[in-house]
Amino acid sequence: MARIRSMLNWIFVRGPAAFYELAESGSWLFTLGTLGGMAVAAGLGAGVGALVGLLAGTSVSAAADTGFMIGLFSLLAWMVMSGVVVAVLWIRGIAPGALATDHESPRGRHAVKAEHGWRRPGEPLVPGSLVAFFGLMVVIFGSLGVKAWHDSRPWDEPTAVVDGAVVEVEEPGWIDKGAGSVLVRYVVAAKDHVIEIDRDPGEHFLRLDDRLPVEYAVARPARARAVWEVESAREDRTGWAVMTGLCGVLGAASGVGYLVGRRKRR
């Protein structure tokens, strides 16, 4: 039983504290260890998945893929949990370094900013930098959400859909981001029209001569857009809205904590 308690303590308490200390040290071992841990977790997951698939008589490759994702996301979930543990330690005023090495240290109002670089006595439970971080995330995610909402809106005029074909591929430059762009030609009333869209319009990677649906305005056939881009923007809109709302709630909560801490210091 003692071994089980020690193992659980390392998984849920001391391990996250040690993980934070390694990250705070700026050592190259943190990056190497993180990448190595992800590779090991994914590899073990894939191996176990393949074995389960073999014993169950199902597709080994599919089972290995499932195990790969489970192993990788299990480690990512542990990293997220580590962040929660460190946040609790910050609130309680316990230095992660002392906890990771199992040494007692002053805590709460008497916690000192010593060799572990933790918060000073009387400091707010929430640093102002955290409030600013969530505010920045709200601006970034909100901007992306507004763009996705704008791109997914139905047009205020009659539209129709026609097949288009990729006639030219524009590779990205050295400093450009993304997969580049393509020129799509479509025909309306025996007249050719061309539009330029991203080469990766949501779960698709376009190549020369690929065909895709194009939505155009009936009264102005030259005004058009790829249907796949609209569908992708519609899906992204929900995700960006959720991220914006989550960061907004966390930002509001951290802001309250920061203001309460400042008030107590006066």
Side-chain angles (χ1 to χ4, degrees):
M1 185 62 70
R3 289 185 177 181
I4 295 177
R5 284 200 299 268
S6 178
M7 181 179 66
L8 294 176
N9 184 39
W10 263 105
I11 293 175
F12 294 104
V13 182
R14 294 182 65 183
F19 181 72
Y20 170 83
E21 281 295 296
L22 185 60
E24 184 72 6
S25 69
S27 171
W28 60 270
L29 290 175
F30 171 74
T31 301
L32 184 63
T34 301
L35 295 176
M38 294 174 67
V40 170
L44 287 176
V48 172
L51 180 61
V52 171
L54 183 63
L55 295 176
T58 60
S59 173
V60 175
S61 61
D65 290 342
T66 302
F68 175 90
M69 297 303 297
I70 291 176
L72 181 60
F73 280 103
S74 294
L75 181 61
L76 294 177
W78 181 84
M79 292 180 180
V80 173
M81 183 205 68
S82 298
V84 176
V85 172
V86 171
V88 173
L89 294 180
W90 173 274
I91 293 174
R92 295 188 60 189
I94 303 175
L99 190 64
T101 55
D102 204 22
H103 293 317
E104 287 295 329
S105 64
R107 58 185 65 192
R109 291 172 55 85
H110 305 289
V112 294
K113 187 179 178 71
E115 69 274 14
H116 301 295
W118 212 232
R119 66 183 178 93
R120 299 178 184 276
E123 272 190 343
L125 296 182
V126 179
S129 58
L130 184 63
V131 182
F133 169 78
F134 284 126
L136 178 62
M137 291 301 100
V138 167
V139 173
I140 293 175
F141 292 142
S143 299
L144 293 172
V146 170
K147 183 180 183 304
W149 168 80
H150 180 269
D151 293 342
S152 65
R153 284 191 313 165
W155 287 343
D156 55 356
E157 58 182 311
T159 62
V161 177
V162 67
D163 282 343
V166 177
V167 294
E168 186 177 338
V169 175
E170 297 287 345
E171 297 290 347
W174 288 102
I175 61 175
D176 293 334
K177 295 182 179 179
S181 61
V182 296
L183 296 181
V184 179
R185 183 174 60 198
Y186 60 100
V187 181
V188 178
K191 184 177 180 180
D192 288 348
H193 299 276
V194 176
I195 58 171
E196 182 176 4
I197 66 172
D198 289 337
R199 192 177 183 183
D200 186 10
E203 299 184 5
H204 299 84
F205 188 77
L206 297 174
R207 296 175 175 84
L208 195 63
D209 296 328
D210 281 353
R211 303 192 68 82
L212 67 155
V214 175
E215 180 185 22
Y216 68 93
V218 175
R220 294 179 293 167
R223 184 190 183 194
R225 58 184 179 178
V227 173
W228 290 344
E229 284 188 326
V230 178
E231 294 174 349
S232 177
R234 189 174 295 118
E235 295 174 358
D236 292 343
R237 180 181 60 187
T238 302
W240 293 131
V242 171
M243 293 299 296
T244 302
L246 179 61
C247 289
V249 171
L250 294 175
S254 59
V256 170
Y258 175 76
L259 293 176
V260 170
R262 284 181 59 86
R263 183 177 180 182
K264 286 184 178 181
R265 290 179 64 186
R266 294 176 179 176

